Amino acid sequence: MNIQSLRGMPDFFPDDLKKWHLLEAVLSDVFHAYSIEEIRTPLLESTELFSRSVGNSSDIVNKELYSFLDKNQKSISLRPEGSASVIRAIIQKKQEHEKHKLWYQGPMFRYERPQKGRFRQFHQVGVEYLGYEEGLSEFELISMLIKINKQLGISRYSLKINHLGDIEAKENFCTALKSFLKPHLSSLHEKDIARLASNPLRVLDSKEESTKLLLKDAPRFNDFISEKSKLFLKDLVQHYSDQCEIIIDSNLVRGLDYYTGLVFEVVSEELGAQDAFLGGGRYDHLSTELGGKPMPAIGFAVGLERIIELMSVQDLNVRAKVALIIADEQDNQKTYKIAHALREANLEITLDAFLSNGSLKSQLRRANKTHCNFAIIVGSDERSTGKFTWKDLSEHGDQKLLSFEDLLEVYKNL
Ligand code: HAM
């Protein structure tokens, strides 16, 4: 039997990747405009990093981590997300006292049940603002996510937002929720009883109808957070509500344990069941949890497989593409000389030097199929007159004969 790829771990072919490159270019332009610098961390980390950050009681660590013993019997894991690694790297470099605006991209791994929009290897681009207290950084990150959507032509989405208060508010709320649900344990689904014991906040995320019904009369997060936090949330919503749809969702707790303060998700109905294509929030205590010095932090990550579904940017071939066609017998040395001179003249242009010696007709067909805008034909004309055929491949495009110098000039100015 042929060897297949692992479930939930798709391949990406050149045609898929055109859109990915465009997405990555738009994101990196936005980060550049916000003065954010790139960081790269390894795919493998010690398992302890994720149990102490994302949390032992989270589904991500509890059920979805790809963990192995290495040759030294140390438990290591493929990263399920990027924030913990970034904080680990900054602590390791002893830079917690500095301010950082960082972005990263790459594959993440979660052993989830694969379905539309949910993979076991998926890709995130994330942003982390480190050393910034609650305030301007929240505003800047919300404005950035609006900008990203705008640049990608995404207009139908909602920003769900909630404020989890500080650690004390989070703890008080959990205690209140536990005592509210205690007399109703018999009507709770067993999954939710387990959640109530390990991580009561996750009960708010429950998909069980009986739990949802009970939660209608449960204590509200909003009653446990300070006036300052409430005002801050109100301010944010007021400021951005004319730029995107904002929904305050008091049940939004997110699946990772490290959050306090603002949490948010960007969702689109067009994605179906897995509707969140961006998620983030503040996590001021992660640095100390991981043994570092105090360092406030906030960030978000975009799920690339999901956001790419929503992108409506049409122009995938921004660079001109030129086919170099050798119409009669192949002369490798000459072909490469011409190709080399053209690339020296303008590296911005994609030059596809056809390496087959099919007929002129079949090579032109291939040039059209591969979306070339122009073709340079080296053949009998060139042999008799010393001129090259320059052919515009658009619908009513013409063709002309050019000397090599003129050809280079045209190519340079494309
Ligand atoms: P997250 O919400 O777990 O947050 O993931 C962020 C995004 O990654 C999700 O909104 C979703 O689009 C995408 N995603 C997650 N799991 C999958 C999957 N199995 N298949 C496809 N896409 C997926 C975090 O990871 C946090 N580290 C974000 C953050 C950064 N918070 C602060 N800074």
Side-chain angles (χ1 to χ4, degrees):
M1 207 173 79
N2 290 339
I3 297 172
Q4 307 280 318
S5 68
L6 296 174
R7 270 191 80 207
M9 300 208 177
D11 299 308
F12 294 89
F13 286 90
D15 271 348
D16 311 319
L17 289 172
K18 283 184 187 132
K19 212 168 167 189
W20 279 78
H21 291 152
L22 192 67
L23 168 62
E24 286 160 7
V26 169
L27 291 171
S28 98
D29 278 355
V30 173
F31 298 147
H32 191 70
Y34 279 79
S35 186
I36 306 172
E37 292 184 306
E38 189 184 356
I39 184 167
R40 296 186 187 187
T41 60
L43 266 59
L44 281 170
E45 297 273 5
S46 66
T47 301
E48 198 190 349
L49 174 65
F50 302 114
S51 53
R52 278 173 55 187
S53 56
V54 177
N56 262 330
S57 60
S58 68
D59 283 352
I60 296 178
V61 168
N62 208 4
K63 300 195 282 201
E64 298 165 3
L65 217 50
Y66 277 90
S67 297
F68 320 90
L69 289 180
D70 71 6
K71 293 195 192 301
N72 221 0
Q73 300 305 302
K74 178 180 165 58
S75 177
I76 55 171
S77 295
L78 279 165
R79 63 181 183 192
E81 59 103 52
S83 316
S85 303
V86 171
I87 299 295
R88 194 259 318 124
I90 295 294
I91 296 174
Q92 200 169 328
K93 234 176 163 222
K94 300 193 179 13
Q95 289 185 342
E96 302 101 296
H97 56 285
E98 291 174 26
K99 289 193 186 325
H100 308 267
K101 291 184 179 181
L102 300 170
W103 72 274
Y104 52 87
Q105 68 170 326
M108 308 289 159
F109 303 85
R110 297 183 192 174
Y111 195 81
E112 298 196 74
R113 196 167 45 80
Q115 63 178 83
K116 184 176 177 291
R118 190 157 77 188
F119 304 93
R120 288 182 172 169
Q121 176 185 276
F122 59 98
H123 296 77
Q124 284 185 348
V125 163
V127 181
E128 314 292 352
Y129 275 26
L130 311 180
Y132 294 87
E133 305 275 359
E134 177 171 283
L136 267 182
S137 41
E138 272 81 351
F139 278 82
E140 186 152 306
L141 287 183
I142 303 288
S143 90
M144 196 189 310
L145 69 86
I146 293 174
K147 180 80 182 150
I148 288 174
N149 284 325
K150 187 165 172 230
Q151 293 302 100
L152 295 171
I154 302 171
S155 54
R156 291 178 54 201
Y157 65 92
S158 321
L159 171 62
K160 283 192 189 169
I161 199 164
N162 192 21
H163 201 297
L164 302 180
D166 53 18
I167 284 208
E168 211 187 330
K170 219 170 144 178
E171 277 168 4
N172 289 341
F173 173 76
C174 287
T175 313
L177 187 67
K178 270 186 177 166
S179 33
F180 169 81
L181 289 174
K182 211 169 168 191
H184 305 285
L185 287 185
S186 55
S187 22
L188 274 186
H189 191 278
E190 65 184 87
K191 261 195 209 158
D192 290 327
I193 297 178
R195 281 172 161 177
L196 193 62
S198 64
N199 186 353
L201 276 190
R202 293 302 313 282
V203 178
L204 299 186
D205 253 358
S206 175
K207 305 276 177 285
E208 305 301 327
E209 282 310 319
S210 55
T211 310
K212 280 190 196 167
L213 209 67
L214 264 177
L215 286 176
K216 284 200 171 128
D217 300 318
R220 300 258 137 213
F221 223 123
N222 201 38
D223 298 329
F224 290 77
I225 66 176
S226 68
E227 283 308 311
K228 190 172 158 250
S229 302
K230 283 184 204 165
L231 213 65
F232 183 67
L233 189 62
K234 202 169 140 212
D235 249 18
L236 263 180
V237 173
Q238 234 165 29
H239 191 82
Y240 288 109
S241 54
D242 60 338
Q243 295 179 48
C244 71
E245 187 191 14
I246 306 187
I247 301 166
I248 300 182
D249 177 354
S250 57
N251 283 347
L252 181 73
V253 289
R254 313 247 317 116
L256 305 96
D257 282 359
Y258 49 58
Y259 295 113
T260 51
L262 190 80
V263 286
F264 50 93
E265 267 177 17
V266 183
V267 297
S268 167
E269 278 177 3
E270 287 168 41
L271 290 174
Q274 304 301 319
D275 62 353
F277 61 94
L278 183 154
R282 180 163 281 283
Y283 53 100
D284 286 348
H285 302 281
L286 186 52
S287 177
T288 46
E289 284 292 318
L290 294 176
K293 302 230 163 61
M295 176 174 62
I298 180 169
F300 66 70
V302 184
L304 298 190
E305 282 80 357
R306 295 188 191 170
I307 201 169
I308 213 158
E309 290 288 314
L310 302 170
M311 241 171 98
S312 62
V313 181
Q314 298 299 325
D315 194 5
L316 295 183
N317 287 315
V318 248
R319 285 166 153 213
K321 189 170 174 188
V322 177
L324 178 61
I325 295 175
I326 310 297
D328 50 15
E329 80 221 51
Q330 289 280 345
D331 177 341
N332 286 340
Q333 274 209 27
K334 192 169 86 182
T335 312
Y336 278 108
K337 253 194 186 148
I338 298 169
H340 177 74
L342 288 166
R343 290 191 178 115
E344 285 284 293
N346 189 349
L347 200 61
E348 292 284 296
I349 306 298
T350 306
L351 181 72
D352 192 358
F354 290 179
L355 304 177
S356 70
N357 47 6
S359 68
L360 175 60
K361 207 167 149 197
S362 74
Q363 293 198 60
L364 278 172
R365 211 179 303 124
R366 182 180 144 182
N368 275 312
K369 209 171 144 205
T370 56
H371 310 293
C372 289
N373 310 95
F374 302 95
I376 298 166
I377 302 164
V378 186
S380 51
D381 280 333
E382 190 255 333
R383 214 174 301 284
S384 55
T385 63
K387 295 201 169 178
F388 295 81
T389 303
W390 172 255
K391 187 173 169 56
D392 182 342
L393 296 177
S394 58
E395 203 175 346
H396 301 292
D398 53 0
Q399 68 179 52
K400 49 192 171 193
L401 287 174
L402 298 174
S403 68
F404 193 58
E405 289 69 33
D406 290 344
L407 178 70
L408 281 182
E409 211 43 41
V410 168
Y411 194 85
K412 210 189 272 179
N413 296 316
L414 268 184

